[in-house]
Amino acid sequence: MIIVLKPNISRKQERAILQEIRRRGYKPHVMRGVARIVIGAIGDELTHQSLETLLTVFPQIVESVTPVQRRYKLVSREAHPQNSTVKIRDHILGGKKFHVMAGPCSVESEKQLLKTAEAVKAAGATILRGGAFKPRTSPYEFQGLGLKGLKLLAKARKETGLSIITELLSESHVDMVSDYTDIIQIGARNSQNFQLLIAAAKTGKPILLKRGLSMKIEEWLLAGEYVLAHENPNLMFCERGIRTFETYTRNPLDLSAIPIIKKESHFPVVIDPSQGAGRADLVRAMCKGAVAMGADALLIEVHPNPAEAWSDGTQQVSLEVFAELMRELRPIILAAGRE
Ligand code: PEP
Ligand code: MN
């Protein structure tokens, strides 16, 4: 149920309504908007007292009580008609400003990471990406530098001021990864690892949730619901291509996910054209399409020497191509009503 409170409600009135929701056997999730407080109340309406009577019992406090039809409740736009934004250090993602997250697929060395960080910053990126723990298809491929990689990311943040995003692969790494990163990336291979999602949510850090390799949009939204249900409202959905019969791309990038997620949910949408193509030569076109279709941010793999990258060499763009791409994106970002 979605309970919208009247404007200018006192803390005492808010507490009274929350107490009543809990008393009836529901878990309240409070969403504070600029003008109003909206409460998502989760519980089994068949076995608990209905919440619909809140309107008549608390007419001075409650403006409306509406059932949410979707299986994903807190993530749905029914629960929260306005767009939600995510705060990443001093940046707001999902608002007027468009963000670009860029960096190598894997952190390989200090020199590689710092060189990339400086170049992507100079080109206009605000967030540095880099994998320290890599989910490789084969156990014989480079698995990431681990803690050393996280330390290098922290060093790059210190030197450039860029925020950082890196993947969390395992529940056993939650404390270590969240100590270093500004955004936790949940990868395509883990996006329905619900225990990992819960552990990541509990850190309170912003979560970038990739779409799984073969994930339906409803499953993706429900995976996001796990994050919200565990009290973390800092969620971003990241489309990165899905598995189909097509072989010209590694993962055909589903750009239709942008307007669909925007319609179904209030959370920001990020597009990763690098995994979602697997081809450096397609990255520019995919980025332009994503911006024009209303994405809130891009996640792009950039490497000083893609031919020698330790992972995903075919899809990473060079520092020069990245700078050119950022110049080409500027007018499209403006035309899309962003900055
Ligand atoms: C990555 O970002 O390098 C990565 C492994 O992504 P995905 O989980 O989308 O495959
Ligand atoms: Mn990669």
Side-chain angles (χ1 to χ4, degrees), residues 104-106 129 131 134-136 167 185-190 210-211 213 238 240-241 250-251 272 275-276 299 301 311-312 315:
C105 176
S106 298
R129 68 148 285 152
K134 295 302 302 176
R136 303 309 300 281
E167 180 164 353
Q185 174 176 327
I186 300 292
R189 289 155 193 81
N190 261 324
K210 295 262 194 132
R211 183 174 180 182
L213 303 171
C238 178
R240 46 77 73 206
R250 178 183 178 196
N251 304 293
D272 172 350
Q275 329 300 320
L299 176 67
E301 288 189 343
S311 59
D312 288 350
Q315 68 197 34

Side-chain angles (χ1 to χ4, degrees), residues 76-97:
S76 79
R77 222 180 244 285
E78 285 178 285
H80 195 277
Q82 304 86 1
N83 288 334
S84 279
T85 58
V86 176
K87 191 165 187 296
I88 298 150
R89 288 167 76 222
D90 44 358
H91 291 297
I92 302 289
L93 199 146
K96 183 97 176 146
K97 189 168 168 7

Side-chain angles (χ1 to χ4, degrees), residues 141-203:
E141 289 166 346
F142 176 56
Q143 305 286 308
L145 294 182
L147 180 59
K148 187 177 164 205
L150 296 176
K151 288 186 172 164
L152 290 176
L153 285 164
K155 183 163 189 190
R157 172 176 50 204
K158 195 160 173 235
E159 298 210 351
T160 59
L162 291 168
S163 296
I164 57 182
I165 173 166
T166 198
E167 180 164 353
L168 172 66
L169 264 192
S170 157
E171 270 179 82
S172 65
H173 299 155
V174 171
D175 291 341
M176 181 185 12
V177 171
S178 65
D179 275 352
Y180 285 93
T181 197
D182 301 306
I183 305 173
I184 294 178
Q185 174 176 327
I186 300 292
R189 289 155 193 81
N190 261 324
S191 40
Q192 283 185 301
N193 180 342
F194 301 120
Q195 293 307 313
L196 183 68
L197 284 172
I198 293 169
K202 285 183 176 165
T203 65

Side-chain angles (χ1 to χ4, degrees), residues 3-5 9-24 26 28 30 37 39 41 51 53-55 57-63 65:
I3 299 130
V4 179
L5 304 189
I9 289 297
S10 71
R11 283 280 177 186
K12 194 168 162 219
Q13 288 173 308
E14 184 188 331
R15 271 198 302 277
I17 202 83
L18 290 173
Q19 197 177 5
E20 179 61 16
I21 292 168
R22 287 194 193 98
R23 194 190 66 73
R24 293 189 189 192
Y26 298 81
V30 180
I37 294 172
I39 302 169
L51 290 173
T53 55
L54 287 178
L55 193 57
V57 178
F58 297 92
Q60 301 88 351
I61 308 179
V62 176
E63 186 162 287
V65 180

